[in-house]
């Protein structure tokens, strides 16, 4: 049994310590109950706090990514509505060109009226391209696309993608080691008069289509070539028939590259096919080969395309020049400026979507369409003569196709990239919020139970501290009796 002392009240000190511990636990319970969190400060759980804060940052980022995606969808829809109006105007222009082509019933006043209405429609297209905007950003004036400029004889910029990086100041260097060629063949046996009169059957096949012609008496080689070419044209084959100086038949594909091939057969050996009645496949066309910026490329016909993953990724150039004497010498340079729209649609680095909106106006629509009226683009069309009306239809058809390609790309991005991403982000927000709640939110039933327990213990500890302070008074009673 311990001695009775008055200088130190160990029981009171012990009780006070327990009281302070309970008071601290009670304050913690009050913090958890008032905030709804079980992790209020780092001391409540350092590792748990780190996980929770990371989740909070991710949730906030997902919420912002959702807002970004919604804004991006609105911008795409605004652009698409402008393109829809352009398309309606082009449909009207095509209808007017059809009317103008009806030359048997039109007079000059009607043609002038058609041309005036077409001019007005084309001006409206240019006006939409100039003024269409989202907020203060112009969307169809070409400032949000990928532009390129070629410098070099026979070198032309075709297009670039949203992956193409802006070129250095000097541009991307283009080298050509092998120019593209066309598939062609020449018969070994001349078309003599006797052969023609014997009735030689000549057949060519290209792209799943076949054209045949059988020679007749009284014809010469020139007539045979003309008649066979007529059958080729009627059948839609992209082949050119000709003869050499000594009367041998030649067949050449109109397109460049390894994919442009055809089959020939003749009833007489050597006229077309080497063996009588045995088809001969002609596939000696070659694709262009070379490099862009000294990096890997792929050739398709005369188009040289930068390989994926390279700096000029997506860049396509057309080379129509002669075979370079030195394969290591550059045939030209391509300057590329990348101004595609970039949307941050994810919560993390690199989760972006790019959209290229190149200039869409009457000067950039209907380009590179062969026509007898020499129209360079849609702004040149004139329907005041029959040929002009026919050529206008060709350019308008290409312009409508060009617009539809842009609209299709925008629709695909909206549906498959933005709206699909939005749905995914909403699910991610829900799941991350749930996970962060599990880590950080307080279980209120458990906290109330803990709070009640701490209240009771606090009351008990307070009472016991009072009893502990009574112990020294027992010694005072002994002194009073002495």
């Amino acid at each position: 049994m311990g001695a009775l002392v008055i200088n130190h009240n160990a029981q009171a000190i012990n009780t006070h310590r327990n009281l302070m511990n309970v008071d601290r636990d009670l304050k913690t319970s009050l913090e958890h109950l008032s905030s709804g969190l079980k992790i209020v400060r780092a001391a409540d759980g350092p590792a748990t706090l780190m996980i929770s804060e990371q989740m909070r940052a991710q949730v906030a980022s997902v919420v912002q990514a959702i807002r970004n995606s919604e804004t991006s969808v609105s911008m795409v829809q605004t652009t698409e509505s402008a393109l829809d109006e352009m398309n309606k105007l082009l449909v009207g222009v095509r209808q007017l060109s059809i009317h103008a082509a009806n030359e048997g019933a039109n007079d000059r006043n009607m043609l002038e009226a058609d041309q005036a209405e077409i001019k007005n429609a084309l001006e409206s297209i240019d006006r939409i391209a100039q003024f269409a905007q989202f907020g203060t950003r112009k969307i169809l004036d070409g400032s949000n696309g990928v532009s390129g400029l070629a410098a070099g004889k026979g070198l032309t910029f075709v297009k670039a993608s949203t992956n193409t990086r802006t070129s250095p100041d000097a541009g991307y260097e283009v080298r050509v080691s092998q120019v593209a060629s066309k598939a062609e063949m020449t018969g070994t046996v001349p078309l003599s008069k006797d052969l023609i009169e014997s009735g030689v059957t000549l057949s060519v096949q290209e792209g799943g289509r076949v054209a045949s012609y059988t020679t007749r008496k009284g014809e010469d080689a020139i007539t045979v070539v003309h008649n066979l070419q007529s059958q080729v044209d009627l059948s839609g084959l992209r082949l050119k028939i000709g003869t050499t100086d000594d009367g041998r038949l030649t067949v050449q594909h109109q397109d460049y590259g390894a994919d442009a091939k055809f089959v020939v057969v003749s009833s007489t050996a050597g006229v077309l096919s080497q063996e009588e009645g045995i088809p001969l496949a002609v596939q000696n066309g070659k694709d262009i080969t070379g490099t862009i910026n000294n990096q890997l490329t792929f050739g398709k016909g005369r188009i040289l395309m930068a390989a994926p993953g390279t700096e000029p990724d997506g860049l396509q150039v057309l080379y129509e020049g002669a075979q370079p004497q030195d394969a290591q010498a550059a045939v030209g340079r391509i300057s590329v400026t990348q101004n595609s729209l970039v949307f941050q649609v994810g919560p993390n680095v690199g989760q972006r979507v790019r959209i290229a909106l190149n200039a869409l106006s009457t000067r950039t629509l209907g380009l590179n369409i062969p026509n007898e009226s020499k129209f360079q683009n849609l702004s040149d069309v004139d329907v005041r003569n029959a040929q002009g009306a026919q050529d206008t239809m060709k350019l308008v058809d290409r312009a409508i196709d060009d617009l539809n390609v842009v609209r299709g790309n925008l629709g695909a991005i909206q549906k498959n990239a933005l709206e699909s991403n939005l749905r995914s982000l909403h699910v991610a927000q829900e799941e991350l919020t749930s996970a962060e709640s599990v880590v950080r939110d307080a279980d209120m039933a458990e906290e109330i139970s803990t709070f009640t327990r701490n209240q009771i213990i606090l009351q008990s500890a307070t009472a016991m501290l009072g009893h502990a302070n009574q112990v020294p008074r027992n010694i005072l009673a002994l002194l009073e009796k002495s």
Side-chain angles (χ1 to χ4, degrees), residues 39-83:
I39 305 296
V40 179
R41 57 177 62 86
D44 293 335
T48 306
L49 178 74
M50 290 180 62
I51 296 172
S52 176
E53 289 297 340
Q54 290 172 352
M55 287 185 174
R56 281 189 171 185
Q58 195 72 3
V59 169
S61 300
V62 168
V63 170
Q64 187 57 54
I66 289 173
R67 295 171 183 167
N68 288 359
S69 297
E70 290 172 342
T71 303
S72 302
V73 168
S74 298
M75 185 173 190
V76 170
Q77 290 175 334
T78 301
T79 306
E80 208 276 332
S81 64
L83 294 176

Side-chain angles (χ1 to χ4, degrees), residues 200-432:
V200 180
T201 299
L202 308 171
S203 299
V204 290
Q205 177 185 4
E206 185 269 331
R209 298 176 294 272
V210 178
S212 297
Y213 180 73
T214 301
T215 62
R216 293 172 291 187
K217 290 183 179 181
E219 296 180 336
D220 56 14
I222 296 176
T223 304
V224 171
V225 168
H226 178 270
N227 291 337
L228 180 56
Q229 184 68 59
S230 297
Q231 293 300 313
V232 166
D233 294 340
L234 286 173
S235 300
L237 280 68
R238 294 188 55 76
L239 300 175
K240 181 68 175 177
I241 312 299
T243 59
T244 62
D245 293 338
D246 59 359
R248 290 175 295 158
L249 282 178
T250 63
V251 183
Q252 184 183 61
H253 205 291
Q254 295 183 30
D255 299 329
Y256 286 85
D259 291 338
K261 48 195 174 183
F262 58 91
V263 176
V264 297
V265 62
S266 59
S267 61
T268 300
V271 177
L272 283 180
S273 57
Q274 295 177 354
E275 299 181 37
E276 179 182 333
I278 304 298
L280 173 66
V282 181
Q283 44 193 1
N284 54 8
K286 295 181 180 179
D287 293 316
I288 189 173
T289 59
T291 62
I292 299 178
N293 200 37
N294 290 321
Q295 299 182 48
L296 180 66
T297 61
F298 299 101
K300 186 173 180 62
R302 292 188 291 180
I303 302 293
L304 197 61
M305 301 174 287
T310 61
E311 287 187 11
D313 179 5
L315 175 61
Q316 297 185 17
V317 297
L318 171 67
Y319 181 65
E320 301 173 284
Q323 174 69 43
Q325 296 294 326
D326 182 5
Q328 298 303 315
V331 298
R333 292 179 177 272
I334 301 291
S335 177
V336 178
T337 303
Q338 176 63 263
N339 288 321
S340 297
L341 298 172
V342 181
F343 299 135
Q344 178 71 31
V345 295
N348 299 313
V349 175
Q351 295 179 340
R352 303 184 297 177
V353 171
R354 289 180 177 269
I355 300 177
L357 295 174
N358 295 324
L360 292 174
S361 67
T362 57
R363 287 180 171 80
T364 61
L365 293 171
L367 297 174
N368 303 319
I369 304 298
N371 63 90
E372 295 184 19
S373 301
K374 306 301 181 184
F375 297 150
Q376 298 297 314
N377 51 55
L378 201 60
S379 66
D380 295 337
V381 298
D382 191 331
V383 298
R384 287 173 291 188
N385 60 76
Q387 186 59 50
Q390 295 292 330
D391 292 334
T392 296
M393 283 185 266
K394 294 180 182 179
L395 269 67
V396 172
D397 286 343
R398 171 59 67 85
I400 291 175
D401 288 342
D402 291 343
L403 278 186
N404 287 337
V405 168
V406 177
R407 293 180 68 183
N409 290 336
L410 287 175
I413 289 173
Q414 179 180 336
K415 179 181 178 181
N416 300 322
L418 298 178
E419 292 180 349
S420 176
N421 181 65
L422 262 175
R423 292 190 292 270
S424 176
L425 287 174
H426 281 299
V427 174
Q429 179 191 11
E430 179 183 340
E431 297 300 331
L432 284 170

